[in-house]
Amino acid sequence: STQGSAQPPPGLPALNFKCTDVSKRHVARVFEEVFGYPLAIDPTTADGPIVEKSDKNGVHDGRIVRAPAVPREGYVYQRLIDTRDGAFNHDLRTVCVGGAPEFVVHKRKTAGESFAIHTRRATLEAPAACFSEAELAMISRFNGRMGLDWGGLDILRDRHDGRIYIVDVNKTDLGPVIALRWRDKIRSMRRLGRALKALILEQKAAPTVRVSHAA
């Protein structure tokens, strides 16, 4: 669910129980608080192309609209992030465990598929190859504020200002991405499995102490 608050089992390790809101509106609010620059836009005062998408998680109904525009109920409005490089737009799907990026699935889509699930090509990459040390620290801090112990972030890098933008948080992360090579699918799932096992063992060793997400 996009929003929900379940009680963690007493005295047992529990993942993502503090991640109670993954709505686009909340993600944009936390992103701006952590990174210091906005993703959300007021469609009534903006000018030019912007993104309109459902506030709910997993809908994949994003579209480009021209501002100024009258906002629709249940939708959020964000700046249009230009990730183009040649024929493709780029999406850095960042899988995080214990609050820190574990690996990145670099997804390439055509212009008409920017908001779709379908990916033309995907490669498995190390976080350090995609983000600076400062960006990695900010991503971990963002996860801590979201209460995300493990999950997938959709991160876009704007080709004009060079900044990264976290546009989506998935606390029930699916994987691996279909477009990955078979070998990379196996590598990614093994790496994720090892990281999750280490996180669970750490929490079992000290169930009253949460894994630190501090930057």
Side-chain angles (χ1 to χ4, degrees):
S1 62
T2 300
Q3 295 170 313
S5 181
Q7 292 298 315
L12 295 173
L15 301 181
N16 286 352
F17 275 82
K18 290 187 176 181
C19 189
T20 59
D21 189 349
V22 292
S23 66
K24 302 293 191 301
R25 196 179 310 276
H26 182 64
V27 168
R29 185 184 305 116
V30 174
F31 171 80
E32 184 172 355
E33 290 173 357
V34 172
F35 282 78
Y37 51 90
L39 170 65
I41 269 184
D42 182 349
T44 64
T45 59
D47 183 24
I50 60 174
V51 172
E52 176 192 75
K53 60 177 70 171
S54 172
D55 193 31
K56 294 182 179 180
N57 189 50
V59 178
H60 301 285
D61 64 346
R63 67 186 186 118
I64 298 174
V65 299
R66 180 161 291 275
V70 178
R72 294 199 291 163
E73 182 70 24
Y75 286 81
V76 298
Y77 296 83
Q78 300 174 351
R79 63 168 291 166
L80 178 61
I81 302 165
D82 187 354
T83 68
R84 290 175 298 166
D85 180 13
F88 294 106
N89 291 338
H90 298 260
D91 183 339
L92 303 174
R93 180 56 171 249
T94 304
V95 177
C96 301
V97 179
E102 187 66 28
F103 58 84
V104 176
V105 178
H106 185 170
K107 301 193 291 186
R108 293 149 177 96
K109 303 179 179 181
T110 61
E113 300 169 333
S114 296
F115 304 106
I117 298 177
H118 181 69
T119 299
R120 292 286 177 171
R121 182 185 171 204
T123 54
L124 187 64
E125 300 181 14
C130 301
F131 307 111
S132 68
E133 289 186 11
E135 289 170 340
L136 289 171
M138 296 293 277
I139 291 170
S140 293
R141 183 181 172 196
F142 170 86
N143 286 335
R145 293 287 294 275
M146 287 292 301
L148 187 72
D149 295 305
W150 88 276
L153 310 178
D154 285 323
I155 303 180
L156 307 179
R157 186 182 295 279
D158 192 284
R159 72 187 184 107
H160 299 290
D161 63 20
R163 291 173 166 176
I164 62 171
Y165 295 82
I166 301 176
V167 298
D168 199 8
V169 173
N170 302 274
K171 62 180 177 179
T172 50
D173 192 29
L174 299 177
V177 173
I178 294 175
L180 276 175
R181 296 184 306 169
W182 178 254
R183 178 182 176 185
D184 284 340
K185 290 179 182 180
I186 299 300
R187 288 174 57 205
S188 66
M189 297 311 292
R190 283 178 176 171
R191 184 164 183 174
L192 176 59
R194 287 195 298 266
L196 282 171
K197 182 177 181 179
L199 175 63
I200 292 169
L201 290 176
E202 182 177 345
Q203 291 200 354
K204 285 178 69 176
T208 59
V209 178
R210 301 293 293 181
V211 175
S212 173
H213 300 286

